[in-house]
Amino acid sequence: MSYTYVIIDSSEVSAVDFSQVMQRDSEGTRYSLDGSKALLKYEGDQPSFLSGKQEYTHSEILSILSGDEWTSDEPI
């Protein structure tokens, strides 16, 4: 099974139907380092609340998440 990934503005998280995505709630959702974007993952048909959003494959999202917007080189 393959998953599909979508990046949304963090302001849109309150409209997410978490029963239709792999995340359980907003706290289990990955956010960009500045908190402005959120990553969602689902399988099957695109949920209606994500209609029109850019979809990414696993390899595409790995490339995006390795960028400065999502990953810091600073030690934890």
Side-chain angles (χ1 to χ4, degrees), residues 7 14 19 23-25 29-30 38 41-42 44-45 47-49 51 54 59 63 65 69 71 73 75:
I7 295 172
S14 61
S19 70
Q23 293 78 6
R24 287 192 269 173
D25 54 33
T29 300
R30 181 169 177 179
K41 174 172 75 171
Y42 61 91
D45 295 334
S48 60
F49 63 89
S51 180
Q54 172 70 46
S59 60
S63 178
L65 295 179
E69 191 172 16
T71 303
D73 290 336

Side-chain angles (χ1 to χ4, degrees), residues 6-76:
V6 172
I7 295 172
I8 62 171
D9 289 335
S10 59
S11 62
E12 298 174 283
V13 171
S14 61
V16 171
D17 179 351
F18 285 99
S19 70
Q20 295 184 42
V21 295
M22 303 305 291
Q23 293 78 6
R24 287 192 269 173
D25 54 33
S26 62
E27 292 177 15
T29 300
R30 181 169 177 179
Y31 292 89
S32 59
L33 293 176
D34 68 2
S36 67
K37 296 179 182 175
L39 174 67
L40 297 175
K41 174 172 75 171
Y42 61 91
E43 62 183 338
D45 295 334
Q46 186 181 56
S48 60
F49 63 89
L50 294 175
S51 180
K53 300 290 183 187
Q54 172 70 46
E55 295 178 318
Y56 300 97
T57 64
H58 186 254
S59 60
E60 290 171 331
I61 206 65
L62 286 179
S63 178
I64 291 168
L65 295 179
S66 68
D68 292 342
E69 191 172 16
W70 293 87
T71 303
S72 174
D73 290 336
E74 298 294 318
I76 297 175

